[in-house]
């Protein structure tokens, strides 16, 4: 069914698209799922090529290659996200972290007397401690904390997940 797509993949070093996508997604050869991702990329490439050929009258390499790159990237990104969600579930981290935050009182003075939170505080990096202090003391939203700390929201979310992971280990 996808013979033409696989044939195109094997022509003129088109397989480099897959390796380029993996490099762009920061997946190294040491990743245990690397070979599986390569195969998934090859399949996505062949499927996307066949879909492109069905919807376009003329197929030029200049036009099809960016399309194929994007399709392979989206497919591999979806797989990596799925792996991440699976790992989070295996680690016991809740999908909705707000539930865990709701269990922590917002009064910073009361929390500091709790032995568990003191242990958590001691395991946190200085940046995580700043985040934790702002979150517990003020109850600000993550966006507001990001502005105060002068970091991106993505970084604040990383702090939060790191703290939650440390909390689950304690």
């Amino acid at each position: 069914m996808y013979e033409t797509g696989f044939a195109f993949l094997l022509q003129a070093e088109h397989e480099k698209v897959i390796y380029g996508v993996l490099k762009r997604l920061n997946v190294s050869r040491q990743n245990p799922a690397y070979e599986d991702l390569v195969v998934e990329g090859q399949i996505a490439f062949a499927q996307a090529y066949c879909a492109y050929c069905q919807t376009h009258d003329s197929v030029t390499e200049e036009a099809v290659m960016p399309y194929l790159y994007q399709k392979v990237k989206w497919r591999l990104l979806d797989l990596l996200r799925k792996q991440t969600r699976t790992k989070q579930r295996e680690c016991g981290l809740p999908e909705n972290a707000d539930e865990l935050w709701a269990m922590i009182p917002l009064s910073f003075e009361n929390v500091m007397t709790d032995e568990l939170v003191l242990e958590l505080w001691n395991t946190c990096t200085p940046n995580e401690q700043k985040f934790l202090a702002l979150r517990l003391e003020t109850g600000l939203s993550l966006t507001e904390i990001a502005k105060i700390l002068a970091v991106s929201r993505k970084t604040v979310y990383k702090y939060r997940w790191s703290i939650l992971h440390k909390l689950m280990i304690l």
Side-chain angles (χ1 to χ4, degrees):
M1 180 175 182
Y2 299 115
E3 292 86 10
T4 57
F6 286 113
F8 186 73
L9 174 65
L10 297 175
Q11 294 175 2
E13 299 181 344
H14 291 150
E15 200 167 14
K16 286 186 176 182
V17 169
I18 296 160
Y19 297 112
V21 168
L22 289 169
K23 184 175 182 179
R24 176 75 171 104
L25 296 176
N26 296 318
V27 178
S28 70
R29 292 185 188 274
Q30 287 74 34
N31 187 319
Y34 185 81
E35 292 301 322
D36 294 335
L37 291 170
V38 169
V39 172
E40 288 289 339
Q42 292 169 340
I43 294 169
F45 186 100
Q47 289 173 338
Y49 181 78
C50 291
Y52 187 88
C53 289
Q54 289 174 355
T55 58
H56 294 79
D57 295 331
S58 65
V59 178
T60 62
E61 191 167 325
E62 294 80 27
V64 75
M65 291 308 282
Y67 174 83
L68 296 174
Y69 179 90
Q70 191 66 42
K71 289 292 188 177
V72 170
K73 181 180 173 186
W74 286 346
R75 173 69 180 137
L76 295 182
L77 194 54
D78 285 345
L79 288 170
L80 290 170
R81 286 179 180 151
K82 186 177 180 180
Q83 285 178 353
T84 301
R85 283 193 308 270
T86 303
K87 285 181 185 175
Q88 287 174 348
R89 283 189 206 113
E90 289 171 358
C91 291
L93 292 176
E95 286 204 23
N96 186 358
D98 292 330
E99 294 173 11
L100 192 55
W101 281 112
M103 297 178 349
I104 302 173
L106 289 178
S107 173
F108 188 67
E109 292 80 19
N110 293 340
V111 171
M112 288 305 293
T113 60
D114 187 4
E115 186 178 323
L116 176 65
V117 177
L118 282 173
E119 282 185 55
L120 176 64
W121 182 266
N122 291 330
T123 62
C124 289
T125 66
N127 289 331
E128 291 169 348
Q129 288 176 348
K130 290 176 190 174
F131 167 80
L132 192 58
L134 284 170
R135 182 71 173 173
L136 297 175
E137 195 171 290
T138 63
L140 294 172
S141 72
L142 297 178
T143 304
E144 294 167 329
I145 291 173
K147 287 179 185 176
I148 291 170
L149 296 177
V151 297
S152 69
R153 285 186 328 164
K154 183 178 178 182
T155 303
V156 169
Y157 278 96
K158 285 181 182 179
Y159 293 159
R160 183 175 82 165
W161 277 109
S162 177
I163 292 168
L164 289 173
H165 182 70
K166 290 174 183 178
L167 182 62
M168 296 301 288
I169 292 173
L170 290 177

